[in-house]
Amino acid sequence: MRKFLSLFMVLMLTGLLAFSQNKTVSGTVKDDTGNPIPFATVTETGSKNATTADANGNFVITQKGNGTLTFTATGFNPAVVTPSANLASPTLSRNTSELSAVVITALGIKKSARSTGYSTATIPQQELTAAKATNIANGLSGKVSGLQINTVNNGVSADTRIVLRGERSILGNNQALIVLDNIPVSADFINSLNPEDIEDVTVLKGANAAALYGSDASNGVIMITRKKGIKAKPSVTFIHTTTLEKVAYFPKLNKRFGAGSTEPDSLSAYTGFYGRIPYENQMYGPEYNGGVVGLGYEKQLTRPDGTVFDSTNQIIYDYKNPVQNFFNTGITNQDGVTYQAGNANGSYFFSGQVNNTTGTIPKDKATRYTVSVGGSTVYNKFSSNFSVGYTKFVTDIAGADYSQGRPVYWNVLNTPGEVDIKKFKDLNAPFANENDWYNAYYPNPYWQIENSRVKTNRDDILGSLELGFKATSWLNFTYRLGVTASNYQQKNTKGGVTFSEYEISDPLGTGGTASSNPNGVKPRLYDRLNEKFIVQSDFLINMQRKFLNNDLDVRLILGSSINKSKERDLRAGEGVKGGTGELEIPGLYNQSNLVNPATVDENLYEVGKIGAFGSLQFGYKNFLFLEVTGRNDWVSVLAPENRSFFYPGINGSFVFTDAISAFKSMDWLTFGKLTASLTKVGNVSNVAPYALGNTFSQILGFPYATTSFSVGDRLANANIKPEFIKSREVGLQLGLLRNRINFAVSYYDQDVSNQTVPIQISSASGYTTTLKNVGNVSNSGFEFDLKLNPLVNLGPVQWNIGGNLALYHSKVDEIDPLSESVFIGGYTSGAGIYTIKGGPMRVVQIKDWKRDSLGRVIVDPRTGRPSATTGVVNVGQTLPKVILGLNTSFEYKNLTLSMLAEYRGGYVVYNNVGSATAFTGVSEVTTLTGRQRFVYPNSVVLQDGKYVPNTNVAIDNASNGSGFWASTFRTAGTPFITSGDYWKIRELSISYAFNVKNNKIVKKASVGLVARNLFTFLPKDNVYADPEYSTLGTGNGQGLSDENLSPPTRVFGATLTVGF
Amino acid sequence: MRRIILFLTILATALGFSSCKKNLLDINANPNTASYSTPQLTAPVAIENAARRANTSYISLGFWVGYYATSSGFSKPVETYTYDITSSFLATTWDNLYNNLEDFDYVESQAKAQNLPVYEAVAKVMKAYDYHQLVDLWGKVPYTDALKGVQGFSPAYDDGQLVYDDLIKKIDTAISIFKAPGTPNTINSSLDATKILLFGNLLNTSSSAFLTKWVKFSNTLKLKLLVQQSQIGRDAYIKENLNGLAASDFLGLGDDALINPGYTTATAQLNPWYGAFYKAYQSSGDTYNSTVASDFAVKSYLNTADPRISYFYTQDPGATTYLGSIFGDPSGTPKAAKIGDPSLQATGNAIIFTAAESLFLQAEAVQRGYITGNAQGLYEDAIKASFAYTGKSADYADYMAQPSTDIQWDLATDKIKLIITQKWFAMNGIDILAAYNDFRRTGFPAAPLSTDANSKGKVPVRLFYPQRETLLNTANVLAAGDVDVFSTNVFWDK
């Protein structure tokens, strides 16, 4: 630090000397809307004398002659101005085709784009909201190279996983940090924001760009800036959007065979087929024939007068497509208004939005209310800006069923094709209630929808405040305070059911739900309360001066940051610490109404972090830049002796087209920049609070009459240290043909060593896991961005095209001396996501068929059936190797058409829905052989010690008491591994802007049609689900999906904007 | 310049957080989970857990020794009925036992440090109780190096016999403590009122009844470990270690070692055996539905008109008699008898050791000449104890009066076979592992093999090391030698 300061003082002194010159001209560089342009270059025309404006556009230049001044800024056309007296007020028109002039970097520090030595990207609001996505994350997908957004499920408030530049941490967090108005917020806040409130989103792609944010930023940062109003006359804008959501596709379904099981007693010795079992969920019955059959067995129905009679539900035995018919068209209505106004000294912004969504599952709904206020003022040396938003997000969706805890979709998938499901929507209709329901094992999905609800309510307040004080022309101070508070409440209510004596007696011996619950099922309740609070305060000192005839621009930023977060999580009821959450009185869903003593789990978390950082930047003649950064963190989660850690970084950029005269003569090459950076970032996000000491907990039903504490399974490591990410990056940026073609490429290489990994240890040690500093992962990739802007420009016709491409590579160099492989998640005895030494970061392992040396499947010479390997085998990586985004927009007069497509490729996914639906016979694959005997394709049998092609040993569909499809077929994971590749038409919009130039009241008006995920193209083998889906939610184990995830949807609708 | 210094001073203040640092950073004390415990606080959960593991872990072995078979209509445990086991078979039992042992290890070391000798002795005996199960199933297991936490993430494996021999010594040490526990007033008695669950509580440490029972239990466990070694030519060693012990030194009639911390009908607090079959009170689970009486067991009980059948099994209401499934029959017998309702008591006691098992062991030990006593008397007491345990005392005399070679001591030519067969009758659902051990050691009873088409045709004599262990402790697992589950016997099984 001391060296730093003395260097600083030396530089100051030389600076003071340099100032004793003549005729100074000052002013502010502004754009054509009157906003200041930061960091414009001011040159005395025809000389080498030049300077740079500051972040607020203010400049002072010492002029030697009396000529004109030339103003240039990246992204703007140059302007030549003759100063009047000592003042100049240049206005630069925007050159929209160049890469944006100013970038906001970590901690809100503005830098000229040419001086940044690492990769960032900014998405302005109009691109974010082009297709009127309700969630900002969905609006980002496909738009930035290196950014992967997975929507891991479907529903009225689906979760997204946001990852930049692939995965680095084996078991820790890999998701990008979300920063709202310079305040880090937890990732789930992204669902709470109204996209219309957003000014822009800046993506700091890796540790290189994000280092100053400190230890949470190693995964890159999504910086969201809210609007603060514009310095213009007041304007009001109303936007209404209505979109419809329809299920896009289902797994391929069996449309030929109805209900029947695989049990041998239903097998007809005569036909070789299984007989129809009217109460089955499995579809291994006879082929549809249009005859009359009973749905369910004979039931005892009750007339309105209370008398009881016997009746069987007779139906026509043909396919009625219950799966498709069950789902609704969801509707989303977004109604928003914004008001903004301002003058030279300040501006403000108000907005409100109501967002109403109904889902594709009947009765699912969500409502989001957002109100936000922002503003900024400048008064002499003081400047301030603030924004405060309040969001209320309410969801009400169907919950798990009462018997097996299955989601609605699964119960729909278990509805045999002959069931006309909509007939049972009214629970008072005959055979619709749980006693009369045909299916012995699964409930009526409509009964579930009516009786099992998950209601959530979330209130968020997100406020931030920034104060600036410009002490002198070269020194200013900034103070920032941000507070985010969120309160989340969840209530799961499950209605109970009582069965009639007739049902309990189980006349057909089904072993179904009624007979295994003779006392019925009591209503149940689960409650959760979660409060989060984060406060962050930053203090920054910014010093900037020029030396050596203004050729050398030196900027020093010093700052500190204090962050404190608190969380309280309270859960009670069903599933909490073994509690049943059972209630006696139906409909009274209150914890005080529980049958058994309440079970409650409470968790508190508190984390404090302090950071001190500095950045020293040198700019030479505005074409060579160098920045050195350093940050020291102190974190509460580590032991006092480990809690302080320092990490440095360096980056530079070289605008060679300005520096080397040879390039200046090349007309076609307008702009060229080389960048390089090297950064280290410490990371403790994988160390949870309170992880340093062993714990004891009450287990196995304790407390009974006594309390008792068992030694925890986790062996604490008091000496855990932060993990460090080393990241290198080089880049090249080119502007060709007067920036009509913009091209950028960057290569990065990240190394994470000594990861803080909760590793599994031999249970014979007395514990099962411990946190260790082990593992070494390297991860590299190329990113390409290309913009043809415009590709065609013929007056009224303009066609732009752009694309981004990211190539990913990762390698696990070492995990731990104790383990070659880490299980990330999945099914412990079947398909799972693993990280394996020597391999890419995430692979899926499954049980394969036993094969001969040529890879042919070995079948049993007796039964014709293949068999699965005992252990699991690696079948490929689950992270895409390639992500490609293509966007194009076409303008003709007032009409704009734009489209965004995204491709991902080079990976595989495991679809457990395939296995689950093979068990139930719902999937099409089970019908492909017509349920007849068949020879397993490309199989071999052992003959005289040799494997010979199997031509005649057919799979005996009946052998061993269970059908091939429902049992053997599912023992290996191979049939359910598919390519994860896809092309998605992510966004499509057509908008028409009315000509309102002469209208005194209406300032703007436009209508448009929007669509999201309109088409998805999947390879032939993927007949199951969206490869983005994840059984493990937004966790690290991406690449597994299952039958509990709702089917994918497409969204389309219309939007109307009117401004006054 | 002065200004610069001023600014730098401000900066220095801003950066020198010394005052706020404490509030911000010294906040890492765990508010959620206890970060310390005491022997008094940990012993109860450890003992309950030990009983829970012993009572519920071995249901699948019950198929192999002839107690259970597969039901019709429910998915079948493939590994169990083909004997084609993998490394996941009972893998959680391995983890659970070591988890439980860690608790006892904590109690033992803390009790020693805090001068609570009785707790220390209890922990030693219970460690032997857990460890012998590991050896019985896996042979060589981590012992000397085990439970060391940070000092050993990958503990080496010890020979089963070495473990057994050391356990015997551990039990001897415990017995000497129970016999002379020193100064019980070092225990804060108010804390201990209800803490020890087996044989009462520590307020009774001064009571000789409490200590005597622990001595009896310890001796009985030692007897079990020694009798287990009957087939490997160590009779001299066994005799030496049982020297001077007689029937009164072991758990006898009425001495069932049971625990009940206060089981309730709440799901988390169900009796473990009940909880293994019911997912909630009166709501049966998959294990209940998929486990039925075997044809072999039903016929065995019916052939001797054994009234205990109604304790172990419950006749299907639609059937006219007790029916059992043939083990391995893929379709199962419809209306086969289910696990006996009287044995499934939601709030009933969990079992540490039954008097019946102790008496059968004593009978065998006398018969083999390890200890002196009346083998026939002990044998008959053992059956009496089993009848008492199952609530059939009134029928004991009638049962014993039957002229069956499976009942009458005098009629039986092979007394060991008689003892083991009767022990098998008594241990149904009570100590399944003991039945499996006896089956391997003596071959009795000759439970029929699985009839499944894919059956390996023989019962495994040991288990594979769990996959987790193979993965995380590879070198030591390899060093423990190749495992063939059909021929790599554990040390006492020859």
Side-chain angles (χ1 to χ4, degrees):
Chain A
M1 193 66 189
R2 189 174 295 158
K3 265 187 198 163
F4 216 39
L5 292 179
S6 52
L7 173 67
F8 173 71
M9 281 176 212
V10 171
L11 293 171
M12 287 309 306
L13 289 171
T14 42
L16 287 170
L17 291 172
F19 252 76
S20 51
Q21 298 275 345
N22 261 337
K23 187 178 175 185
T24 53
V25 177
S26 64
T28 307
V29 188
K30 291 181 176 171
D31 67 14
D32 35 17
T33 60
N35 288 323
I37 301 171
F39 311 118
T41 305
V42 186
T43 320
E44 190 173 350
T45 313
S47 81
K48 280 189 175 174
N49 181 23
T51 185
T52 308
D54 67 9
N56 297 315
N58 300 320
F59 70 91
V60 180
I61 187 167
T62 311
Q63 213 178 347
K64 285 167 186 161
N66 282 321
T68 54
L69 294 176
T70 302
F71 295 86
T72 54
T74 321
F76 292 87
N77 296 316
V80 181
V81 172
T82 312
S84 66
N86 288 346
L87 292 172
S89 9
T91 304
L92 272 59
S93 61
R94 203 171 275 273
N95 172 358
T96 50
S97 59
E98 206 182 326
L99 298 157
S100 58
V102 175
V103 291
I104 300 175
T105 62
L107 293 159
I109 296 165
K110 287 177 182 158
K111 292 182 77 175
S112 69
R114 54 172 56 213
S115 75
T116 53
Y118 40 74
S119 192
T120 67
T122 298
I123 298 100
Q125 195 229 350
Q126 61 267 31
E127 285 182 30
L128 198 66
T129 59
K132 299 294 172 198
T134 54
N135 179 327
I136 291 168
N138 293 333
L140 288 171
S141 202
K143 289 172 186 168
V144 176
S145 63
L147 173 63
Q148 182 187 352
I149 292 179
N150 281 11
T151 302
V152 297
N153 192 0
N154 218 323
V156 293
S157 66
D159 285 329
T160 48
R161 174 175 169 88
I162 304 174
V163 171
L164 283 160
R165 292 191 165 167
E167 314 231 328
R168 289 154 295 274
S169 187
I170 296 174
L171 283 161
N173 179 32
N174 280 291
Q175 290 206 71
L177 176 71
I178 308 296
V179 172
L180 178 68
D181 285 325
N182 295 310
I183 308 301
V185 297
S186 91
D188 47 0
F189 277 96
I190 207 159
N191 254 332
S192 301
L193 296 168
N194 172 4
E196 302 290 342
D197 290 349
I198 307 307
E199 176 77 36
D200 56 37
V201 174
T202 298
V203 180
L204 306 178
K205 289 186 188 173
N208 302 67
L212 282 188
Y213 266 119
S215 73
D216 295 332
S218 51
N219 297 318
V221 175
I222 306 286
M223 289 174 58
I224 302 168
T225 307
R226 285 184 288 189
K227 287 179 180 167
K228 312 284 187 304
I230 52 165
K231 291 174 180 173
K233 282 184 191 163
S235 65
V236 181
T237 307
F238 293 96
I239 304 176
H240 172 86
T241 307
T242 297
T243 51
L244 305 179
E245 182 176 17
K246 293 197 83 138
V247 173
Y249 54 93
F250 293 98
K252 289 254 165 65
L253 297 169
N254 156 22
K255 300 181 176 177
R256 287 176 62 187
F257 300 90
S261 96
T262 56
E263 283 154 30
D265 41 2
S266 63
L267 183 78
S268 157
Y270 177 64
T271 61
F273 277 101
Y274 296 105
R276 185 181 146 71
I277 299 181
Y279 54 80
E280 258 297 342
N281 60 305
Q282 284 185 300
M283 289 176 69
Y284 282 102
E287 193 158 6
Y288 290 127
N289 56 15
V292 174
V293 294
L295 181 64
Y297 51 84
E298 190 177 60
K299 296 287 181 178
Q300 286 187 340
L301 300 193
T302 310
R303 293 195 184 87
D305 64 5
T307 55
V308 173
F309 65 103
D310 292 345
S311 175
T312 303
N313 191 6
Q314 302 286 338
I315 60 159
I316 304 292
Y317 194 57
D318 58 8
Y319 187 66
K320 305 195 180 75
N321 203 353
V323 175
Q324 193 154 1
N325 288 337
F326 178 81
F327 288 92
N328 282 351
T329 299
I331 300 174
T332 298
N333 279 309
Q334 302 178 56
D335 283 292
V337 58
T338 59
Y339 171 76
Q340 49 190 338
N343 57 30
N345 293 328
S347 63
Y348 47 91
F349 173 86
F350 293 96
S351 91
Q353 192 195 45
V354 180
N355 201 331
N356 258 309
T357 302
T358 61
T360 51
I361 291 176
K363 289 203 151 189
D364 276 12
K365 59 184 182 220
T367 308
R368 187 180 70 196
Y369 307 89
T370 55
V371 180
S372 77
V373 184
S376 84
T377 58
V378 181
Y379 181 77
N380 287 345
K381 294 182 167 181
F382 296 92
S383 63
S384 67
N385 70 60
F386 72 97
S387 57
V388 181
Y390 166 75
T391 303
K392 187 176 192 71
F393 195 15
V394 184
T395 68
D396 180 358
I397 62 172
D401 72 36
Y402 68 88
S403 57
Q404 298 193 15
R406 304 277 198 171
V408 170
Y409 183 41
W410 178 242
N411 287 326
V412 173
L413 277 176
N414 271 284
T415 305
E418 63 268 28
V419 179
D420 188 354
I421 197 159
K422 287 212 158 167
K423 282 202 170 150
F424 304 103
K425 196 167 181 173
D426 175 4
L427 300 181
N428 294 317
F431 305 105
N433 78 56
E434 282 309 285
N435 270 303
D436 307 331
W437 184 240
Y438 77 91
N439 193 323
Y441 310 101
Y442 292 103
N444 178 353
Y446 290 110
W447 192 93
Q448 178 180 4
I449 282 173
E450 207 62 52
N451 289 285
S452 174
R453 305 300 301 170
V454 176
K455 291 183 183 173
T456 70
N457 176 76
R458 192 183 155 119
D459 294 286
D460 292 333
I461 294 174
L462 308 115
S464 64
L465 170 76
E466 182 178 297
L467 299 172
F469 174 66
K470 193 172 168 62
T472 69
S473 64
W474 54 269
L475 174 67
N476 62 58
F477 300 91
T478 307
Y479 176 73
R480 248 183 237 137
L481 180 68
V483 175
T484 59
S486 115
N487 182 300
Y488 173 86
Q489 301 168 27
Q490 181 180 342
K491 202 173 193 79
N492 298 7
T493 57
K494 247 186 245 180
V497 60
T498 50
F499 295 106
S500 65
E501 273 182 37
Y502 175 73
E503 283 300 305
I504 295 164
S505 74
D506 197 7
L508 267 68
T510 65
T513 315
S515 60
S516 36
N517 296 285
N519 301 307
V521 178
K522 289 201 161 76
R524 273 164 291 169
L525 172 65
Y526 165 85
D527 273 292
R528 183 174 176 207
L529 280 175
N530 182 285
E531 292 173 335
K532 279 195 195 114
F533 175 77
I534 306 172
V535 58
Q536 163 131 348
S537 89
D538 293 342
F539 180 64
L540 277 89
I541 302 171
N542 187 345
M543 289 165 270
Q544 186 167 24
R545 297 210 66 161
K546 291 184 164 54
F547 307 96
L548 307 177
N549 283 334
N550 290 340
D551 279 350
L552 183 67
D553 185 352
V554 181
R555 189 178 184 194
L556 175 68
I557 296 166
L558 296 171
S560 69
S561 169
I562 296 174
N563 180 296
K564 181 156 189 176
S565 64
K566 274 186 166 185
E567 181 178 350
R568 178 165 185 259
D569 196 69
L570 205 56
R571 297 177 305 124
E574 186 180 1
V576 177
K577 299 219 156 188
T580 57
E582 285 180 348
L583 302 165
E584 200 60 69
I585 297 171
L588 182 56
Y589 291 108
N590 189 296
Q591 293 288 344
S592 62
N593 185 27
L594 294 183
V595 175
N596 292 307
T599 51
V600 179
D601 193 18
E602 181 183 23
N603 282 293
L604 303 163
Y605 305 99
E606 206 173 338
V607 178
K609 292 174 198 163
I610 301 172
F613 48 85
S615 152
L616 182 62
Q617 301 164 35
F618 300 95
Y620 179 70
K621 287 193 171 175
N622 209 25
F623 62 69
L624 185 63
F625 302 89
L626 181 74
E627 179 184 14
V628 184
T629 62
R631 178 169 167 128
N632 199 88
D633 277 340
W634 292 264
V635 293
S636 67
V637 295
L638 300 181
E641 59 274 22
N642 297 325
R643 78 169 45 140
S644 164
F645 50 97
F646 175 81
Y647 41 93
I650 182 165
N651 70 77
S653 79
F654 176 50
V655 183
F656 56 86
T657 44
D658 286 8
I660 301 166
S661 53
F663 287 110
K664 288 182 181 164
S665 59
M666 293 182 191
D667 275 351
W668 55 273
L669 183 62
T670 320
F671 180 79
K673 176 177 113 168
L674 277 169
T675 58
S677 79
L678 177 63
T679 302
K680 191 173 158 189
V681 179
N683 181 13
V684 289
S685 67
N686 307 339
V687 185
Y690 325 125
L692 305 181
N694 279 347
T695 58
F696 297 80
S697 56
Q698 302 222 24
I699 55 163
L700 304 170
F702 278 87
Y704 294 96
T706 62
T707 51
S708 189
F709 291 81
S710 168
V711 182
D713 291 344
R714 183 181 55 86
L715 178 64
N717 177 354
N719 198 30
I720 197 77
K721 295 188 173 67
E723 66 185 33
F724 286 97
I725 293 158
K726 266 181 271 164
S727 179
R728 292 168 287 272
E729 179 180 333
V730 289
L732 169 69
Q733 219 175 330
L734 294 174
L736 307 171
L737 303 176
R738 265 184 262 138
N739 290 335
R740 276 176 73 164
I741 302 173
N742 281 295
F743 172 75
V745 54
S746 53
Y747 171 79
Y748 62 86
D749 175 352
Q750 308 173 326
D751 262 315
V752 195
S753 52
N754 282 330
Q755 299 209 359
T756 44
V757 181
I759 62 152
Q760 304 278 311
I761 52 175
S762 162
S763 45
S765 68
Y767 303 85
T768 56
T769 62
T770 188
L771 200 60
K772 265 177 100 178
N773 285 113
V774 292
N776 193 347
V777 169
S778 57
N779 153 341
S780 60
F782 284 96
E783 290 161 355
F784 302 89
D785 288 88
L786 178 69
K787 237 184 229 176
L788 301 173
N789 207 9
L791 176 68
V792 176
N793 188 358
L794 296 167
V797 180
Q798 194 167 26
W799 183 20
N800 297 331
I801 190 163
N804 61 73
L805 170 69
L807 307 176
Y808 299 90
H809 176 81
S810 60
K811 185 161 177 267
V812 182
D813 301 312
E814 191 191 295
I815 295 175
D816 180 67
L818 291 183
S819 55
E820 299 277 287
S821 140
V822 177
F823 177 67
I824 308 295
Y827 311 95
T828 42
S829 60
I833 304 294
Y834 293 78
T835 293
I836 298 173
K837 184 177 171 177
M841 195 58 180
R842 309 278 185 234
V843 296
V844 60
Q845 296 204 108
I846 54 159
K847 290 185 176 177
D848 189 18
W849 298 124
K850 283 182 183 154
R851 295 174 192 272
D852 69 358
S853 56
L854 298 172
R856 296 172 299 186
V857 174
I858 302 166
V859 299
D860 186 307
R862 212 160 29 94
T863 63
R865 295 182 185 217
S867 56
T869 54
T870 317
V872 289
V873 296
N874 179 350
V875 288
Q877 75 175 73
T878 61
L879 300 175
K881 286 179 186 156
V882 181
I883 296 181
L884 173 67
L886 286 179
N887 61 75
T888 182
S889 70
F890 183 81
E891 285 171 41
Y892 174 69
K893 290 188 176 168
N894 295 345
L895 197 66
T896 308
L897 178 115
S898 65
M899 190 183 86
L900 173 74
E902 187 178 0
Y903 167 79
R904 292 186 192 175
Y907 67 114
V908 295
V909 289
Y910 174 79
N911 305 278
N912 199 59
V913 68
S915 173
T917 53
F919 173 70
T920 61
V922 182
S923 62
E924 186 192 45
V925 65
T926 66
T927 68
L928 292 181
T929 60
R931 302 270 167 88
Q932 301 284 356
R933 294 167 63 94
F934 70 102
V935 174
Y936 194 89
N938 193 26
S939 60
V940 290
V941 285
L942 190 62
Q943 243 174 44
D944 308 325
K946 268 199 249 164
Y947 288 108
V948 297
N950 170 27
T951 51
N952 57 356
V953 187
I955 288 170
D956 173 3
N957 207 16
S959 102
N960 212 15
S962 47
F964 167 76
W965 298 108
S967 61
T968 312
F969 184 59
R970 301 167 52 244
T971 52
T974 319
F976 317 113
I977 288 284
T978 68
S979 158
D981 299 5
Y982 68 70
W983 266 106
K984 280 188 185 182
I985 306 298
R986 284 259 177 224
E987 297 184 351
L988 191 61
S989 68
I990 304 169
S991 70
Y992 180 80
F994 294 99
N995 194 342
V996 290
K997 258 185 194 160
N998 300 322
N999 193 313
K1000 290 213 171 106
I1001 302 166
V1002 178
K1003 301 257 173 50
K1004 62 177 171 184
S1006 67
V1007 293
L1009 296 174
V1010 292
R1012 292 196 309 279
N1013 294 332
L1014 198 55
F1015 302 107
T1016 301
F1017 303 97
L1018 298 172
K1020 247 193 192 137
D1021 65 341
N1022 187 356
V1023 295
Y1024 300 114
D1026 188 334
E1028 276 180 54
Y1029 275 13
S1030 169
T1031 301
L1032 300 166
T1034 57
N1036 278 331
Q1038 299 287 305
L1040 293 183
S1041 75
D1042 70 14
E1043 62 280 9
N1044 296 327
L1045 304 170
S1046 301
T1049 58
R1050 58 171 61 103
V1051 175
F1052 49 93
T1055 180
L1056 169 72
T1057 305
V1058 185
F1060 302 98
Chain B
M1 200 62 212
R2 202 176 291 163
R3 257 201 240 162
I4 296 167
I5 291 163
L6 178 68
F7 294 140
L8 292 175
T9 316
I10 294 170
L11 179 69
T13 322
L15 294 174
F17 321 90
S18 47
S19 59
C20 62
K21 235 179 173 175
K22 244 195 143 43
N23 294 334
L24 260 162
L25 301 176
D26 289 340
I27 52 171
N28 212 27
N30 197 327
N32 303 321
T33 322
S35 33
Y36 80 98
S37 183
T38 62
Q40 297 95 318
L41 281 173
T42 295
V45 71
I47 293 173
E48 199 275 343
N49 196 355
R52 179 176 292 263
R53 298 311 162 206
N55 294 179
T56 63
S57 298
Y58 307 117
I59 294 168
S60 49
L61 299 178
F63 286 76
W64 293 350
V65 298
Y67 290 137
Y68 309 126
T70 45
S71 81
S72 74
F74 278 84
S75 53
K76 290 103 187 153
V78 181
E79 288 184 304
T80 308
Y81 71 76
T82 58
Y83 307 116
D84 194 3
I85 59 169
T86 67
S87 55
S88 59
F89 190 80
L90 292 196
T92 52
T93 300
W94 170 284
D95 294 340
N96 288 335
L97 284 170
Y98 275 108
N99 183 349
N100 190 217
L101 279 163
E102 180 61 32
D103 278 352
F104 287 122
D105 196 62
Y106 175 82
V107 172
E108 186 185 0
S109 62
Q110 286 298 304
K112 195 169 188 157
Q114 297 177 26
N115 193 22
L116 301 169
V118 175
Y119 279 100
E120 188 191 334
V122 163
K124 282 184 197 295
V125 175
M126 293 309 293
K127 271 182 152 181
Y129 184 80
D130 279 356
Y131 263 124
H132 90 79
Q133 298 175 42
L134 285 161
V135 173
D136 293 349
L137 294 169
W138 285 281
K140 294 180 186 173
V141 297
Y143 180 76
T144 317
D145 273 5
L147 313 177
K148 295 263 170 75
V150 182
Q151 274 84 50
F153 288 162
S154 19
Y157 283 54
D158 291 306
D159 200 70
Q161 185 164 329
L162 182 148
V163 178
Y164 254 61
D165 290 358
D166 199 64
L167 294 178
I168 299 287
K169 285 184 198 150
K170 248 187 168 32
I171 295 172
D172 283 342
T173 313
I175 291 170
S176 61
I177 294 175
F178 286 132
K179 285 186 171 163
T183 45
N185 59 1
T186 57
I187 295 161
N188 179 349
S189 57
S190 69
L191 261 181
D192 297 328
T194 56
K195 296 303 180 197
I196 285 276
L197 300 162
L198 185 61
F199 305 128
N201 62 59
L202 261 210
L203 277 184
N204 299 334
T205 41
S206 50
S207 104
S208 56
F210 174 88
L211 293 169
T212 307
K213 278 203 173 170
W214 268 100
V215 171
K216 282 186 173 185
F217 168 54
S218 307
N219 278 325
T220 309
L221 186 61
K222 185 174 154 186
L223 177 67
K224 179 171 182 169
L225 266 55
L226 291 166
V227 170
Q228 197 88 281
Q229 302 179 56
S230 64
Q231 305 305 106
I232 52 173
R234 293 191 94 199
D235 288 3
Y237 167 83
I238 295 169
K239 278 181 203 164
E240 179 195 323
N241 274 284
L242 291 171
N243 188 25
L245 294 176
S248 59
D249 294 313
F250 303 103
L251 295 173
L253 269 175
D255 285 338
D256 288 313
L258 308 173
I259 61 152
N260 195 328
Y263 295 124
T264 72
T265 55
T267 307
Q269 298 190 324
L270 293 168
N271 163 287
W273 178 249
Y274 186 90
F277 293 99
Y278 283 78
K279 36 184 197 195
Y281 183 55
Q282 294 186 337
S283 171
S284 60
D286 289 348
T287 316
Y288 181 79
N289 293 323
S290 61
T291 310
V292 296
S294 79
D295 177 66
F296 174 71
V298 165
K299 286 185 177 148
S300 302
Y301 285 113
L302 291 180
N303 285 343
T304 49
D306 192 330
R308 289 174 295 178
I309 190 169
S310 70
Y311 179 88
F312 298 124
Y313 303 112
T314 292
Q315 190 180 327
D316 187 278
T320 52
T321 180
Y322 286 91
L323 295 173
S325 274
I326 307 269
F327 176 45
D329 175 3
S331 46
T333 303
K335 298 181 181 166
K338 291 274 175 56
I339 299 292
D341 290 335
S343 78
L344 292 164
Q345 295 300 322
T347 61
N349 298 326
I351 304 161
I352 294 279
F353 214 105
T354 55
E357 187 175 353
S358 170
L359 288 159
F360 279 119
L361 283 165
Q362 292 173 53
E364 186 182 348
V366 171
Q367 184 64 26
R368 289 185 189 276
Y370 298 155
I371 52 173
T372 52
N374 175 354
Q376 181 177 356
L378 290 163
Y379 163 78
E380 285 167 359
D381 275 357
I383 299 172
K384 190 186 257 180
S386 171
F387 272 66
Y389 184 82
T390 54
K392 306 289 177 195
S393 292
D395 302 321
Y396 171 68
D398 287 349
Y399 177 78
M400 293 303 285
Q402 297 181 83
S404 162
T405 51
D406 284 339
I407 298 173
Q408 294 287 343
W409 180 265
D410 293 333
L411 295 180
T413 45
D414 183 342
K415 308 294 185 211
I416 295 294
K417 181 183 176 189
L418 177 71
I419 293 168
I420 301 298
T421 306
Q422 271 296 342
K423 190 178 172 189
W424 177 84
F425 279 119
M427 292 297 107
N428 189 341
I430 288 170
D431 192 344
I432 301 172
L433 180 60
Y436 174 59
N437 286 349
D438 289 344
F439 175 78
R440 284 181 290 168
R441 183 168 61 98
T442 67
F444 304 130
L449 289 168
S450 168
T451 60
D452 184 82
N454 294 319
S455 165
K456 293 281 172 192
K458 45 197 165 181
V459 179
V461 295
R462 57 158 295 161
L463 308 181
F464 285 115
Y465 289 116
Q467 193 179 6
R468 204 173 172 280
E469 190 64 15
T470 314
L471 216 62
L472 301 174
N473 198 2
T474 316
N476 288 316
V477 171
L478 289 177
D482 289 340
V483 172
D484 180 332
V485 293
F486 298 110
S487 64
T488 317
N489 298 313
V490 301
F491 85 96
W492 49 253
D493 180 18
K494 287 204 173 130

